[in-house]
Amino acid sequence: MTELNDGKPRKIKSARPYSFMLEQDTTNYGTYEKGGIVTQVKQSKVLNFKPLREALKDPGDFLLSDFSKFDRPPLLHLAFQALDKFVAELGRHPVAGSEEDAQKLISFASDINESSGDAKLEDINPKLLRLFAFGSRAVLNPMAAMFGGIVGQEVVKACSGKFHPLFQFFYFDSVESLPTEPLDPRDYSPQNSRYDAQISVFGAKLQKKLEDAKVFIVGSGALGCEFLKNVALMGVSCGDRGKLTVTDDDVIEKSNLSRQFLFRDWNIGQAKSTVAAAAAASINPRLKIEALQNRVGPETENVFDDSFWENLSVVINALDNVNARLYVDQRCLYFQKPLLESGTLGAKCNTQMVIPHLTENYGASRDPPEKQAPMCTVHSFPHNIDHCLTWARSEFEGLLEKTPTEVNAYLSNPAEYANAMTNAGDAQARDTLERVLECLDRERCETFEDCITWARLKFEDYFSNRVKQLIYTFPEDAATSTGAPFWSAPKRFPHPLQFSASDPGHLHFVMAASILRAETFGIPIPDWAKNPKKLAGAVDSVMVPEFQPKKDAKILTDEKATSLSTASVDDVAVINELIKKLELCRSNLSPGFRMKPIQFEKDDDTNYHMDMIAGLANMRARNYSIPEVDKLKAKFIAGRIIPAIATSTAMATGLVCLELYKVLDGGHKLEDYRNTFANLALPLFSMAEPVPPKLIKHRDMSWTVWDRWIIQNNPTLKELLEWLKDKGLTAYSISCGSSLLYNMMFPRHRERMDKKVVDLARDVAKLEVPPYRRHLDVVVACEDEEDNDIDIPQVSVYFR
């Protein structure tokens, strides 16, 4: 069907991963047989906006954010028109707490509504308009952050033409953030402080709660910087009794500066938490902040001990990985502390409120795991640039970090290394030894010219010989066992590259590879190495042997395979032979010879790391007719940079801080809290009540995942069993960690009845109880009176 080769965009339908139907008459086209590469083309769209004067009268459809407030946008549209009229006539905004001003604004709203014709509202909700009047003159940090994120993204859309603009009107309110108790008008009175605007909305009592809060912010990266700025402006932990603890074990990198705005060029290499804390304290000198450089996890429970968690008011996560989130979630669950969770991915963001006894915890629901490309796809059948870059990063680490590290491990203690490999006796040990031997024997470099030879031969191996072997094993007309074409979508038939020193891509790969190879061997790099003409001359002098394909080559095609190593019956014999050869190589090395492994560093533009990875990926992309990428795009993918932009980050943190008002005020119900998912690119805003925790009932008792049963006074095993018996529960198994303290099926366990539970944990589970720990936790499996298994809360046994 060669008529499709004119490059014009065409509409399609019934799109599947590897097939689609054309939305046009193909009667006179040739018959489609096979092949072809299709690229999605996004067509531009024209939006016609109404002038403001016209849009105010006829706003059209509003963009909704909260479906529980379906009727709210038209009401807020009316409220803002009434506010404009109030300001125009009185020259000021309504005063907070002034019933007279509120009634005047309600009167204006009523007049405008009466003259609205078909757009007239049945109920103008005076109660909401009263609250609107009270807060109309205040600028609140969380609202500014949230709307700033939205407006910032709209500005980028207007400048770039990328993503869909917000069409006409979007209204948002968070009335639920207001205190649950009615306030006296005097609570709104200004106190001549920087928080007067906030006090005029929430009152002085909530402001005092904010200032006295003990807050733990976990992480000080993109989200963490925004949170620290927000809480400093809100006055959180700025009182005499308040304290803000922030921790992050990371240091500032150059790529952080685009969105982690508390950092500057001169902070690169410094601890994130320390720099961010100093910046936040400069925003509000009254902020009581302590910066730590500890990762939050089981290994730092001596730092973040029981008393630390027990004294917290709230925890705010600013993390970038699920495992750390799950650990903090378990700690908050255990100590019954509110957890405010959020995350971003490009223009998307989400927030989740984890409130003791009201909502489910973060770990109660999980996203499905991300799909990874099968190993055979990455190594032999790539069909997009991500596959090429994944392979390039893997080859970089194998050649320049893992193999030199293995070489040094061998040279440091040859006998111990040989024993370990012999004991392993598997295909992985065999492959590792082969790489070490190759590095110290055939591929050992002593001069920079040796490094150029190595790089040139690597080019030939990667981009010519391996491809020739692949198409020898699987020719273009090869078929699978079912008779289907082997090279069918998504596989792309490859073509070997012919090296040319006049091709800048070819030469730049050899330059980067030879410089990095020299670095691993400690070889000085001559000045001419970076001169293309002189380098080309040296490369052209390299003798490249002619390639002969193997008839018995094994190429991985199983998509479920997890390793490239193939086991052999004589692995042990091969390993012993390799160790003998290694001993011979070692005798030829100078005493004290060691290699210098290279750890991948994406942010140094002068170290040639990204040059080599981009070169590897782009040459491989040429093999498979995949569009190449520049170094910046390659850095983004290979560096596994999670896309984070200031707009969605500002919005997420603003939404979380609106929830922080509710948490610190206390007394709010489940229906007052909001979880959010937003995508600023579409734009889409979806807010909903959090999900309540699962409730378990037994007798007249009920509990959720938030509950923890506590037994005091250092009980014996017998006392613990009787304590459970009083609740109508028969414990048939009690465990601590991975050890079984008691099981009713084992007669010898009855001998433990008079022992203290803590002593059993020390003796049986080998539990080391640190001096700061006052209790231990046991998991109890129980049955009720009818022999039904019943999940009970974790049981905490206090022994001090």
Side-chain angles (χ1 to χ4, degrees):
M1 200 176 278
T2 54
E3 292 82 359
L4 298 180
N5 295 337
D6 57 12
K8 293 178 182 176
R10 288 174 163 82
K11 274 194 170 186
I12 64 164
K13 60 184 179 181
S14 305
R16 294 177 181 176
Y18 311 115
S19 67
F20 56 85
M21 290 180 71
L22 289 163
E23 272 196 24
Q24 64 187 82
D25 183 8
T26 58
T27 309
N28 297 322
Y29 285 16
T31 305
Y32 175 76
E33 292 177 20
K34 63 175 183 177
I37 301 296
V38 179
T39 306
Q40 183 182 7
V41 179
K42 291 188 177 180
Q43 300 292 79
S44 59
K45 181 179 179 181
V46 176
L47 295 173
N48 295 307
F49 288 82
K50 298 174 185 175
L52 179 61
R53 190 184 304 278
E54 186 183 325
L56 284 171
K57 292 177 183 175
D58 182 16
D61 292 332
F62 296 99
L63 178 62
L64 270 177
S65 63
D66 189 335
F67 285 93
S68 69
K69 301 177 180 179
F70 191 79
D71 58 347
R72 190 64 57 83
L75 184 58
L76 291 174
H77 187 69
L78 175 64
F80 274 98
Q81 291 178 78
L83 180 62
D84 283 346
K85 190 172 181 182
F86 187 104
V87 173
E89 292 200 7
L90 279 79
R92 61 175 177 82
H93 281 74
V95 174
S98 168
E99 293 292 347
E100 184 183 343
D101 282 2
Q103 289 307 314
K104 196 158 192 67
L105 184 134
I106 292 168
S107 174
F108 286 148
S110 180
D111 292 346
I112 296 168
N113 188 49
E114 289 299 326
S115 61
S116 296
D118 293 340
K120 180 183 173 182
L121 303 178
E122 289 183 14
D123 178 16
I124 64 168
N125 196 338
K127 184 180 176 183
L128 184 76
L129 290 176
R130 176 176 172 270
L131 294 172
F132 179 88
F134 284 2
S136 63
R137 69 189 302 168
V139 176
L140 299 176
N141 165 263
M143 289 295 253
M146 183 256 179
F147 273 109
I150 296 172
V151 173
Q153 191 67 54
E154 292 304 308
V155 171
V156 173
K157 291 175 188 178
C159 296
S160 65
K162 188 175 173 67
F163 302 143
H164 196 290
L166 200 160
F167 193 61
Q168 302 291 183
F169 287 99
F170 171 67
Y171 288 101
F172 169 80
D173 74 84
S174 184
V175 176
E176 304 79 23
S177 294
L178 294 173
T180 51
E181 297 294 324
L183 296 180
D184 187 285
R186 287 173 296 181
D187 284 338
Y188 298 115
S189 302
Q191 299 184 351
N192 196 26
S193 78
R194 65 184 294 168
Y195 315 119
D196 278 352
Q198 195 162 253
I199 290 169
S200 74
V201 177
F202 295 97
K205 288 178 185 173
L206 180 53
Q207 184 60 45
K208 183 76 168 67
K209 289 179 182 178
L210 294 175
E211 292 176 27
D212 288 343
K214 293 177 176 63
V215 181
F216 186 26
I217 296 180
V218 190
S220 56
L223 287 165
C225 281
E226 280 282 348
F227 278 128
L228 286 168
K229 176 262 293 179
N230 289 358
V231 297
L233 290 171
M234 291 164 69
V236 174
S237 303
C238 292
D240 294 335
R241 295 168 60 188
K243 184 178 180 183
L244 172 60
T245 306
V246 60
T247 189
D248 195 312
D249 67 340
D250 203 1
V251 294
I252 298 162
E253 299 177 6
K254 188 177 180 181
S255 62
N256 300 149
L257 302 181
S258 66
R259 60 197 181 278
Q260 299 175 23
F261 67 96
L262 296 184
F263 308 143
R264 298 291 180 268
D265 281 339
W266 54 86
N267 298 132
I268 291 171
Q270 297 174 18
K272 282 186 175 182
S273 59
T274 307
V275 175
S282 69
I283 293 170
N284 191 336
R286 294 182 64 86
L287 183 65
K288 306 290 190 297
I289 188 167
E290 180 183 11
L292 303 173
Q293 286 83 48
N294 303 95
R295 183 187 294 268
V296 180
E299 68 279 6
T300 55
E301 286 182 9
N302 60 324
V303 178
F304 307 110
D305 56 18
D306 291 10
S307 61
F308 173 83
W309 289 98
E310 285 165 358
N311 288 322
L312 292 174
S313 309
V314 63
V315 179
I316 300 174
N317 264 354
L319 290 160
D320 61 359
N321 70 89
V322 171
N323 288 338
R325 285 183 167 106
L326 288 170
Y327 175 80
V328 174
D329 177 57
Q330 285 302 309
R331 293 277 87 189
C332 290
L333 195 64
Y334 187 84
F335 291 100
Q336 302 191 10
K337 299 297 175 183
L339 171 63
L340 309 187
E341 172 61 58
S342 57
T344 68
L345 186 71
K348 300 174 188 172
C349 69
N350 73 285
T351 68
Q352 181 180 349
M353 302 306 110
V354 179
I355 312 298
H357 304 287
L358 288 183
T359 73
E360 68 176 11
N361 62 311
Y362 172 79
S365 57
R366 303 275 187 94
D367 290 333
E370 284 186 32
K371 281 188 177 180
Q372 291 189 325
M375 195 165 282
C376 67
T377 299
V378 170
H379 284 271
S380 298
F381 309 111
H383 50 85
N384 61 45
I385 195 66
D386 289 44
H387 297 153
C388 299
L389 282 161
T390 301
W391 172 82
R393 172 87 185 257
S394 172
E395 291 299 314
F396 179 98
E397 289 175 348
L399 291 170
L400 302 172
E401 182 183 4
K402 290 178 182 175
T403 300
T405 301
E406 288 290 339
V407 166
N408 291 348
Y410 166 69
L411 294 175
S412 297
N413 197 328
E416 188 178 309
Y417 188 86
N419 282 337
M421 290 296 166
T422 305
N423 290 337
D426 57 10
Q428 192 174 347
R430 182 200 68 208
D431 290 353
T432 301
L433 283 168
E434 284 175 349
R435 288 198 304 272
V436 171
L437 179 63
E438 194 172 56
C439 191
L440 291 177
D441 185 17
R442 189 163 55 85
E443 293 188 352
R444 180 153 58 95
C445 299
E446 295 180 345
T447 66
F448 190 73
E449 286 75 8
D450 290 343
C451 298
I452 290 174
T453 301
W454 175 85
R456 173 65 185 87
L457 293 178
K458 275 294 171 195
F459 182 100
E460 198 69 16
D461 175 40
Y462 282 144
F463 312 119
S464 179
N465 297 351
R466 292 191 190 186
V467 175
K468 288 175 182 176
Q469 180 65 61
L470 183 62
I471 58 183
Y472 176 82
T473 306
F474 300 110
E476 195 167 5
D477 58 357
T480 66
S481 56
T482 62
F486 180 84
W487 293 102
S488 57
K491 290 189 182 79
R492 293 179 177 220
F493 186 75
H495 303 279
L497 299 184
Q498 178 68 45
F499 181 83
S500 169
S502 61
D503 186 311
H506 294 193
L507 195 63
H508 198 70
F509 165 78
V510 172
M511 180 194 293
S514 54
I515 287 171
L516 291 173
R517 185 67 170 178
E519 196 178 312
T520 61
F521 278 94
I523 296 168
I525 298 161
D527 293 338
W528 59 263
K530 297 168 188 176
N531 182 312
K533 283 187 180 178
K534 291 182 178 178
L535 182 68
V539 175
D540 283 339
S541 66
V542 175
M543 298 294 293
V544 179
E546 190 175 336
F547 175 73
Q548 292 296 329
K550 298 175 185 174
K551 291 185 177 180
D552 58 348
K554 291 181 180 177
I555 296 172
L556 189 69
T557 58
D558 181 6
E559 293 196 353
K560 294 177 182 175
T562 56
S563 171
L564 291 174
S565 302
T566 51
S568 168
V569 289
D570 56 353
D571 277 340
V572 175
V574 173
I575 285 170
N576 289 330
E577 187 63 31
L578 288 168
I579 289 169
K580 287 177 186 176
K581 290 180 180 178
L582 268 174
E583 281 299 307
L584 274 173
C585 278
R586 189 166 66 90
S587 63
N588 295 326
L589 296 174
S590 59
F593 170 81
R594 294 290 184 275
M595 292 189 72
K596 296 174 182 173
I598 296 174
Q599 273 198 322
F600 174 59
E601 170 50 61
K602 65 184 181 298
D603 288 325
D604 183 351
D605 291 333
T606 64
N607 64 11
Y608 286 92
H609 294 194
M610 278 313 308
D611 297 80
M612 181 166 175
I613 284 179
L616 279 165
N618 282 332
M619 294 306 101
R620 189 168 179 78
R622 283 189 201 181
N623 282 142
Y624 289 88
S625 305
I626 295 168
E628 297 174 38
V629 290
D630 59 26
K631 198 164 87 171
L632 189 66
K633 179 73 172 174
K635 175 179 176 177
F636 181 82
I637 300 169
R640 294 168 191 148
I641 298 170
I642 296 173
I645 52 178
T647 50
S648 55
T649 306
M651 182 183 179
T653 56
L655 289 167
V656 168
C657 288
L658 286 170
E659 302 299 310
L660 182 61
Y661 288 128
K662 304 171 190 177
V663 170
L664 294 179
D665 179 52
H668 283 76
K669 297 175 182 176
L670 177 71
E671 54 266 28
D672 294 331
Y673 288 96
R674 291 290 184 274
N675 290 348
T676 303
F677 171 78
N679 186 337
L680 291 173
L682 296 177
L684 167 75
F685 307 98
S686 178
M687 297 175 185
E689 287 176 23
V691 177
K694 181 184 174 185
L695 188 70
I696 298 170
K697 293 182 178 181
H698 170 70
R699 284 188 173 178
D700 57 347
M701 298 181 290
S702 62
W703 59 84
T704 70
V705 70
W706 284 101
D707 290 292
R708 179 160 59 108
W709 285 355
I710 294 171
I711 180 168
Q712 302 277 2
N713 303 324
N714 197 13
T716 62
L717 176 59
K718 184 179 180 181
E719 287 168 341
L720 174 58
L721 293 171
E722 287 174 352
W723 182 77
L724 291 164
K725 195 77 176 174
D726 292 341
K727 298 178 184 292
L729 298 165
T730 302
Y732 60 83
S733 174
I734 300 174
S735 57
C736 180
S738 58
S739 297
L740 199 61
L741 301 186
Y742 168 76
N743 189 298
M744 67 190 309
M745 301 295 291
F746 300 155
R748 292 191 65 182
H749 282 195
R750 290 173 195 154
E751 297 169 9
R752 301 175 177 178
M753 285 296 179
D754 293 328
K755 284 194 173 185
K756 300 285 187 184
V757 175
V758 65
D759 294 334
L760 277 176
R762 287 192 180 107
D763 298 342
V764 178
K766 307 300 180 191
L767 181 72
E768 292 183 14
V769 183
Y772 57 81
R773 181 61 50 81
R774 293 182 288 125
H775 70 274
L776 64 93
D777 301 310
V778 292
V779 176
V780 184
C782 287
E783 292 175 340
D784 60 16
E785 294 96 329
E786 296 171 1
D787 296 337
N788 296 314
D789 276 351
I790 187 161
D791 290 330
I792 70 165
Q794 194 171 45
V795 177
S796 293
V797 178
Y798 276 75
F799 51 84
R800 288 193 181 126

